[in-house]
Amino acid sequence: MGLEIKNLNKSYDGINLFRDFNLSFPEETITCILGPSGCGKTTLLNIIGKITVPDSCEFQGFDNKLFSYIFQEARLLPWKSVQGNIEFVMRSDLSASERHEQASRFIKIVNLEGFAGYYPSRLSGGMRQRVSIARAFACHSDIILMDEPLKGLDLALKQNMIRWFSEIWKADRRTVIFVTHDVDEALLFGKEIVVLSKLPAQIVAHEKIEIPAENRQLEDPFFKKLKQKLVKALDA
């Protein structure tokens, strides 16, 4: 069963962000929502995560779903170490040894072995985001929501971040909804790519990519052609 949003309506100060908007998300898949700045991507993510209340909407498949988040800023607890930040979101019924073992496994996957005892202030921005990735998967959630977590990173670091994320995701297959305005990020990361228009937001393109994230190359003719198509949809 998939997840569906039907007849979403949301406005702020008389401006319609969404009007009779419909979108479905396949479960156990990474769906990327691509759109220009100001088109309502973050608002949509917050509506899905029940942070923002829509004016009206019918949700299907979201009942009793638990969410974890990866934001543009890592938002780590500054008074806890890398290990402590990850263990903090784990289920309370796990023993101390189980929490430590699971957190250590996530730390290893995102290539932060040797930094478990470090506090966020001692980590680079990219390292903090790796911790936030590990923490999102350590949290007992059904859906991971990502709000432009790669913004401001150079292409090489973005590709590494996606590789680390993919390593965890392949073992977990959680439903992921990821928003960005960057076409390259969408091409590197999304299995399903949905392109939103300017306000009021509507879907202007919907593409699927079957190539695993770790095998994607932006210079490949397939991705060059798809990028042109997505850019054209964004400019429509």
Side-chain angles (χ1 to χ4, degrees):
M1 177 185 290
L3 308 169
E4 292 188 67
I5 294 174
K6 293 185 176 181
N7 300 317
L8 167 62
N9 290 279
K10 181 64 179 178
S11 63
Y12 283 114
D13 298 326
I15 299 174
N16 288 318
L17 274 68
F18 298 96
R19 185 168 59 215
D20 298 326
F21 179 84
N22 300 284
L23 180 58
S24 62
F25 304 94
E27 295 190 85
E28 301 181 1
T29 295
I30 299 174
T31 299
C32 177
I33 301 173
L34 180 66
S37 296
C39 75
K41 299 186 300 298
T42 295
T43 298
L44 178 59
L45 205 67
N46 288 340
I47 288 172
I48 293 168
K50 301 178 182 179
I51 295 173
T52 298
V53 179
D55 297 334
S56 61
C57 186
E58 180 183 350
F59 298 96
Q60 291 189 357
F62 286 95
D63 290 346
N64 302 316
K65 298 294 187 184
L66 299 176
F67 299 90
S68 54
Y69 291 80
I70 303 175
F71 296 97
Q72 182 179 333
E73 306 85 16
R75 302 191 184 185
L76 303 178
L77 299 175
W79 60 88
K80 285 188 175 290
S81 65
V82 169
Q83 183 93 20
N85 265 279
I86 296 172
E87 290 187 16
F88 182 76
V89 301
M90 290 182 174
R91 299 198 322 266
S92 59
D93 62 338
L94 295 175
S95 67
S97 61
E98 287 174 324
R99 295 161 78 90
H100 183 85
E101 181 180 350
Q102 290 188 24
S104 297
R105 178 172 61 87
F106 285 122
I107 289 169
K108 181 177 181 180
I109 292 174
V110 297
N111 199 26
L112 284 175
E113 286 182 291
F115 295 93
Y118 280 49
Y119 287 84
S121 61
R122 298 183 62 192
L123 304 176
S124 69
M127 293 168 76
R128 287 193 293 270
Q129 277 297 57
R130 277 187 265 169
V131 179
S132 70
I133 289 172
R135 185 177 62 177
F137 277 96
C139 180
H140 183 59
S141 64
D142 304 294
I143 301 170
I144 295 178
L145 304 177
M146 302 175 66
D147 189 7
E148 302 203 59
L150 307 181
K151 187 175 181 179
L153 303 181
D154 62 46
L155 182 58
L157 185 51
K158 284 181 183 180
Q159 289 176 317
N160 281 330
M161 293 288 287
I162 290 168
R163 177 173 58 81
W164 288 312
F165 186 95
S166 298
E167 284 297 314
I168 299 181
W169 182 82
K170 282 189 295 184
D172 188 281
R173 299 286 175 179
R174 211 169 301 185
T175 301
V176 177
I177 302 173
F178 168 72
V179 304
T180 183
H181 67 276
D182 188 300
V183 176
D184 287 344
E185 288 182 17
L187 290 171
L188 289 169
F189 200 61
K191 180 173 182 179
E192 303 245 346
I193 301 176
V194 176
V195 183
L196 300 185
S197 68
K198 296 177 183 179
L199 301 180
Q202 295 295 329
I203 297 171
V204 291
H206 189 170
E207 301 290 337
K208 296 183 180 182
I209 303 177
E210 299 297 337
I211 300 170
E214 62 271 20
N215 295 333
R216 298 182 189 184
Q217 298 292 333
L218 294 178
E219 295 305 312
D220 184 279
F222 170 81
F223 285 100
K224 284 185 174 181
K225 184 176 181 180
L226 184 53
K227 181 174 182 176
Q228 291 177 343
K229 188 175 182 179
L230 294 174
V231 168
K232 185 177 180 180
L234 281 170
D235 293 338

